[in-house]
Amino acid sequence: MEITLSEKQEQEFSNYVTGLLNTAIENAERKANLNSPFLKGKRAAAKYLGVSTQTLTKMMSSGLECHYIEGLENVVFFDKREISKFIKQQ
């Protein structure tokens, strides 16, 4: 079975598929927190770096900056730029 589309239909179909793919990519990036400059929690930062949380704790002891929000003292945040800067300085 073969389906033949006009040029206009091909373009509309292509635009539709492109839109679906772009939406799927944006959703995956948002879900994975790829576009955020911050990481929430030691696990997320360790995963981002590809190290264990124990190694991350050692890095924090060696000067890796981390941030806390008043009222959320049990939650630590990391800035991806600061992580990169720390790595480059080591």
Side-chain angles (χ1 to χ4, degrees), residues 22-36:
N22 286 336
T23 299
I25 290 168
E26 289 170 8
N27 288 341
E29 287 175 341
R30 191 176 327 103
K31 186 176 180 180
N33 204 22
L34 295 178
N35 294 328
S36 173

Side-chain angles (χ1 to χ4, degrees), residues 7-75:
E7 229 177 271
K8 181 181 177 186
Q9 289 172 321
E10 282 184 35
Q11 187 59 48
E12 287 174 354
F13 183 70
S14 176
N15 291 342
Y16 174 73
V17 171
T18 300
L20 285 177
L21 290 172
N22 286 336
T23 299
I25 290 168
E26 289 170 8
N27 288 341
E29 287 175 341
R30 191 176 327 103
K31 186 176 180 180
N33 204 22
L34 295 178
N35 294 328
S36 173
F38 295 99
L39 298 162
K40 178 183 173 189
K42 284 186 177 182
R43 283 189 202 151
K47 183 177 180 181
Y48 175 76
L49 286 165
V51 300
S52 70
T53 54
Q54 294 166 330
T55 299
L56 180 68
T57 300
K58 289 178 185 177
M59 293 168 74
M60 292 167 67
S61 297
S62 297
L64 175 61
E65 290 190 53
C66 60
H67 306 277
Y68 297 90
I69 297 175
E70 190 174 329
L72 297 175
E73 285 78 18
N74 295 332
V75 182

